Amino acid sequence: MQAKKRYLLVSVGAGLLFLVYLWGLQIGEFQQQPYQYHQFPQYPQYHQPDYQYYHQSQEVYQPLPQRSPSRPPRHWPESTQLLEPYLEGGEQEEDSPQVQHQHTSPRERRAIRDNIYRNKRCRMETCFDFALCQTGFRVYIYPPQRGDEISETYQKILSSIEESRFHTTDPSRACLFILAVDTLDRDQLSAQFVQNVRLRIQSLPTWNDGRNHLIFNLYSGTWPHYTEDLGFEVGQAMLAKASADVVNFRPNFDISIPLFSKEHPLKGGGMGYLTLNDAPPSRKYLLVFKGKRYLTGIGSETRNALYHIHNGEDIILLTTCKHGKDWEKHKDSRCDRDNEEYSK
């Protein structure tokens, strides 16, 4: 008899919990419905004291908002709307930024993200050993291995460090470690793509999962997906990267750097180049860009519109259609002219 009572009490309790759950769902749906007459509508650009209510007998009508002249409403255009006047019929972007990796499944995207950024929560206080810097800030560059091919751009980075007062040839005195392996271009279609980077990095005696290491990267992924797959694990190393994704960027740890070409000078002007009366220095060109046009896919909508700004004088924007193996399939009427100006 007592067992039946316990079963009855349990059943009643479960029924009450289910009713409470349904009641909570109804409240949630009620809160999501638009406000009715006796509730305040929400206008983000107005203030409650600016409302005026008109009462007649027992009826309450909708409040009429009065817009403050000092707070005009702002309707910012979408980023794609800014380029609409410059887009032609065949230049629409096939893969919009919202579907940047539509050709890869969510599982593949998670695998790439987890493979590269296994330590997404790394910060200086958690993934950097400050004890190595007690004797001073010294930077050590690993010696190149036999057969290493280093691009001109990466060699400039290494040379600038070697010529600085922070460089050391003793790894036991180093606070920061720089790879001799060229990791700037991780596009598998590029001629400067370095093979077997993962094994070469992990075989370093002081790698220590990347702790106190700084890795440079300008290009990642391969057309047309352009994921941030570098082909190796960054680990606890800091990443100095161009065009970093806000999803994978680790604040106060990674470094966002601009995209620069091999023509970028190793050093600036001589001593006294910048004077008090010449800041900023006088320049012949106001804006310069040279790169691939991306006939389709991510970035095509923006880069296909750059020729409208190019004036050949102080604003130079040069693009080439020669990108990818099948670029000629998407060739348009401007490709020959653009390729010719780009090669000058």
Side-chain angles (χ1 to χ4, degrees):
M1 190 67 180
Q2 293 180 356
K4 292 183 178 180
K5 290 182 178 180
R6 285 198 297 267
Y7 292 150
L8 180 61
L9 291 176
V10 171
S11 302
V12 172
L16 290 176
L17 290 176
F18 182 72
L19 291 176
V20 171
Y21 175 74
L22 293 180
W23 179 65
L25 290 179
Q26 291 179 356
I27 291 180
E29 294 178 357
F30 177 78
Q31 291 179 349
Q32 294 178 358
Q33 293 179 355
Y35 287 122
Q36 301 300 325
Y37 283 136
H38 295 279
Q39 292 174 321
F40 285 55
Q42 295 184 355
Y43 297 96
Q45 68 269 32
Y46 306 133
H47 293 279
Q48 183 175 343
D50 294 335
Y51 290 130
Q52 288 186 357
Y53 294 88
Y54 296 90
H55 299 269
Q56 184 176 0
S57 67
Q58 299 298 326
E59 297 181 3
V60 181
Y61 294 90
Q62 279 287 84
L64 300 177
Q66 283 190 342
R67 182 175 300 169
S68 174
S70 61
R71 293 179 177 269
R74 296 181 179 180
H75 302 284
W76 299 105
E78 297 291 337
S79 58
T80 55
Q81 295 178 358
L82 299 176
L83 292 173
E84 287 180 356
Y86 303 109
L87 297 178
E88 296 178 356
E91 298 178 352
Q92 295 295 334
E93 186 176 16
E94 292 184 357
D95 300 333
S96 62
Q98 288 77 11
V99 290
Q100 181 173 359
H101 307 309
Q102 65 175 1
H103 301 290
T104 57
S105 65
R107 178 177 298 180
E108 291 174 338
R109 292 197 296 268
R110 287 194 300 268
I112 292 174
R113 183 172 61 251
D114 296 339
N115 182 42
I116 306 171
Y117 296 92
R118 290 186 294 106
N119 299 275
K120 288 191 61 175
R121 297 185 178 181
C122 267
R123 300 296 184 266
M124 293 298 295
E125 60 271 14
T126 59
C127 294
F128 192 88
D129 188 2
F130 287 95
L132 300 179
C133 309
Q134 291 181 354
T135 59
F137 184 76
R138 296 288 182 267
V139 183
Y140 174 78
I141 300 178
Y142 288 95
Q145 301 179 9
R146 180 180 300 179
D148 279 351
E149 295 183 2
I150 300 178
S151 63
E152 183 178 350
T153 304
Y154 194 60
Q155 186 58 54
K156 289 180 179 180
I157 296 177
L158 300 182
S159 299
S160 62
I161 298 175
E162 292 173 345
E163 297 176 6
S164 69
R165 67 179 187 274
F166 304 106
H167 178 248
T168 180
T169 57
D170 186 0
S172 62
R173 299 181 55 197
C175 168
L176 188 65
F177 296 83
I178 306 296
L179 302 177
V181 182
D182 191 348
T183 58
L184 287 185
D185 195 341
R186 302 307 299 160
D187 185 351
Q188 296 184 13
L189 298 179
S190 174
Q192 297 179 344
F193 180 81
V194 180
Q195 302 288 342
N196 301 324
V197 171
R198 177 182 301 176
L199 296 177
R200 296 171 65 178
I201 292 179
Q202 292 179 350
S203 63
L204 297 174
T206 55
W207 171 242
N208 193 22
D209 194 30
R211 203 171 182 86
N212 286 56
H213 283 69
L214 178 62
I215 298 176
F216 293 90
N217 175 253
L218 297 180
Y219 310 97
S220 62
T222 300
W223 182 88
H225 308 310
Y226 289 110
T227 60
E228 294 201 352
D229 186 7
L230 302 180
F232 62 92
E233 294 85 1
V234 174
Q236 300 183 47
M238 296 173 290
L239 186 61
K241 181 174 174 32
S243 302
D245 191 340
V246 294
V247 177
N248 298 322
F249 185 81
R250 296 168 292 184
N252 301 323
F253 192 74
D254 290 337
I255 306 170
S256 179
I257 60 176
L259 184 65
F260 54 91
S261 64
K262 62 181 181 180
E263 288 80 12
H264 194 279
L266 176 62
K267 297 181 179 180
M271 296 295 294
Y273 177 71
L274 288 178
T275 62
L276 183 62
N277 297 326
D278 194 19
S282 57
R283 297 180 182 274
K284 178 180 179 181
Y285 300 105
L286 176 64
L287 175 64
V288 175
F289 173 80
K290 185 177 183 181
K292 299 178 176 62
R293 178 131 75 85
Y294 302 159
L295 295 173
T296 61
I298 302 167
S300 61
E301 183 175 289
T302 302
R303 298 201 181 189
N304 285 345
L306 291 180
Y307 78 97
H308 292 280
I309 313 175
H310 172 80
N311 60 15
E313 298 177 357
D314 59 340
I315 299 179
I316 309 297
L317 298 172
L318 302 176
T319 57
T320 177
C321 298
K322 297 180 180 180
H323 183 53
K325 297 181 179 180
D326 56 349
W327 68 270
E328 293 183 354
K329 296 181 180 179
H330 308 282
K331 184 178 178 181
D332 57 27
S333 59
R334 293 200 339 269
C335 278
D336 293 335
R337 181 183 57 192
D338 290 352
N339 293 340
E340 181 181 357
E341 293 184 0
Y342 181 89
S343 60
K344 290 181 181 179

